[in-house]
Amino acid sequence: MVHHARIRLAATAAVAVAALGLTACGSGSGDEVVDKPKAKASAKADSASGSEKEPAAEKSSAAPDVAKVGDTLALKGMEGGSGLDVTVVKVVDNAKSSDEFFAPESGNRWIGVQFQLVNTGTKVYSDAPINGAKMADDQGQQFGTVIADITAGPSMSSDVRLKPGAKALGWVVFEVPKASKVATVTWGMDSGFAEQIGEWKL
């Protein structure tokens, strides 16, 4: 049990160091919240082959007004030429730990969010994705991530490097009070310091 605690502390320290490094290098402020999802490929195909008499209806069905689970947001980083398509693929409430020695604190629960990142930019993406993720409940309380493995599937790597066109998939875990009703999850490039922050309604 002591061994697991040491691993978690070391991983947490590494994430903190990465975040401090980005703070020193840039001053992105999350000024723009992006919540308008990209149109799904199937919807685009339907729109292309459909009638021209109802363009407004087709446009509406192609991309909803606010991103939800399953939707993709196009986000930009602080550096020119950096960009990702980010999708919240799945959400699991009351996620179960795959480590018998590690569980949520008393009165709390874990919520797992599976993110997919696709590098749409011209530069290599390199970051610790969990640094850029936050969750909020319907009262406006915000919650950060916890480094944990859950039974839903493999965790998102703490050191992701993607060449243009490459993708990464993994679970990010949040610890929230059992009584909280979660409302949104947000994610931003550059450990959350980029000016664009994506937001999905849950």
Side-chain angles (χ1 to χ4, degrees):
M1 185 169 181
V2 173
H3 175 67
H4 286 280
R6 286 177 179 167
I7 291 175
R8 291 196 299 274
L9 286 172
T12 302
V15 170
V17 168
L20 286 172
L22 278 167
T23 303
C25 294
S27 57
S29 56
D31 291 335
E32 181 185 354
V33 175
V34 177
D35 61 1
K36 176 68 173 176
K38 295 181 65 174
K40 291 182 171 63
S42 59
K44 286 182 178 179
D46 291 343
S47 179
S49 61
S51 170
E52 296 182 0
K53 295 181 180 179
E54 299 177 331
E58 289 178 2
K59 185 175 180 181
S60 174
S61 63
D65 290 335
V66 180
K68 297 179 181 178
V69 177
D71 289 330
T72 300
L73 296 177
L75 301 176
K76 294 179 181 178
M78 292 188 292
E79 188 178 0
S82 62
L84 293 176
D85 275 358
V86 183
T87 307
V88 169
V89 182
K90 297 177 185 176
V91 176
V92 173
D93 205 340
N94 288 307
K96 305 301 180 185
S97 176
S98 59
D99 181 346
E100 61 179 317
F101 298 109
F102 192 31
E105 295 290 334
S106 178
N108 291 346
R109 73 191 196 272
W110 283 350
I111 298 178
V113 178
Q114 188 182 43
F115 285 94
Q116 177 178 271
L117 314 178
V118 180
N119 188 348
T120 58
T122 58
K123 298 180 180 295
V124 171
Y125 166 79
S126 179
D127 198 8
I130 64 172
N131 288 344
K134 287 186 179 179
M135 184 170 282
D137 66 11
D138 59 354
Q139 301 301 308
Q141 297 181 97
Q142 293 195 347
F143 309 98
T145 59
V146 58
I147 298 175
D149 293 319
I150 57 176
T151 58
S155 297
M156 179 68 75
S157 172
S158 61
D159 183 18
V160 173
R161 288 183 174 86
L162 301 174
K163 65 181 181 180
K167 65 176 66 175
L169 179 70
W171 290 88
V172 174
V173 182
F174 301 84
E175 184 162 341
V176 304
K178 289 182 177 178
S180 289
K181 182 179 179 182
V182 294
T184 61
V185 63
T186 59
W187 191 87
M189 293 184 66
D190 303 303
S191 286
F193 288 96
E195 291 186 0
Q196 285 191 336
I197 299 296
E199 180 179 271
W200 293 259
K201 282 195 174 182
L202 301 177

